[in-house]
Amino acid sequence: MHRRHFIALTSAFALSPIALHAAPTLSTPTQAEAAMKAGKVVLLDFWASWCSTCAAQERVLTDLRAENPDYDRKIAFFIIDWDQHSASNLSRRLNIPRRSTLVALNGQTEIARIVAGTSKKDIASLLDQALAAAPA
């Protein structure tokens, strides 16, 4: 194989997961606040498209949600675009320090949060705490 072909094929293979991976469905702070005011258990994911930590958290959340369907049945997930909503009332009220912040709430009451953490064990613990707060 010619060196040029090898480099082209290797580059295409290495970049293919990025091209195939779609951006998550984003929510607005207003949508999240409505669910919180309704007393739902929510997980707020303050996310940025350029953030590698956010991407790692997203992969872990996707895996955990696939492993345990109760997460999706009992927790309302909201992905808030940090670049657009970092100065929102919701971000300020919850003292969100940065993107890659995950916050679980039962209505208006914070259950727990993770800032810039990507450990599957820690994120599973956060989701399990939210699940425990959800009505049966």
Side-chain angles (χ1 to χ4, degrees):
M1 180 179 287
H2 291 32
R3 182 177 178 179
R4 196 174 340 186
H5 290 145
F6 175 77
I7 292 171
L9 286 173
T10 304
S11 298
F13 179 75
L15 294 175
S16 63
I18 295 169
L20 294 175
H21 186 71
T25 303
L26 300 176
S27 304
T28 66
T30 303
Q31 292 168 318
E33 288 172 327
M36 293 163 56
K37 286 178 185 172
K40 294 184 178 183
V41 173
V42 301
L43 181 89
L44 305 179
D45 178 355
F46 291 88
W47 173 92
S49 61
W50 48 267
C51 171
S52 60
T53 304
C54 300
Q57 287 176 332
E58 181 186 349
R59 286 189 297 274
V60 171
L61 284 166
T62 299
D63 289 348
L64 290 169
R65 290 169 76 178
E67 291 170 12
N68 188 347
D70 277 346
Y71 292 146
D72 283 325
R73 281 195 286 269
K74 297 183 178 184
I75 302 169
F77 288 82
F78 295 93
I79 300 173
I80 310 294
D81 187 326
W82 179 254
D83 291 332
Q84 290 183 6
H85 303 292
S86 62
S88 70
N89 288 336
L90 177 65
S91 297
R92 286 195 313 269
R93 186 168 47 81
L94 294 175
N95 295 317
I96 304 302
R98 57 175 284 169
R99 81 257 180 258
S100 68
T101 299
L102 305 173
V103 183
L105 299 109
N106 184 1
Q108 304 284 335
T109 305
E110 185 171 325
I111 299 167
R113 73 172 55 198
I114 294 174
V115 178
T118 59
S119 158
K120 186 172 184 178
K121 178 183 171 191
D122 292 344
I123 295 173
S125 175
L126 178 70
L127 293 177
D128 288 342
Q129 289 176 68
L131 198 59

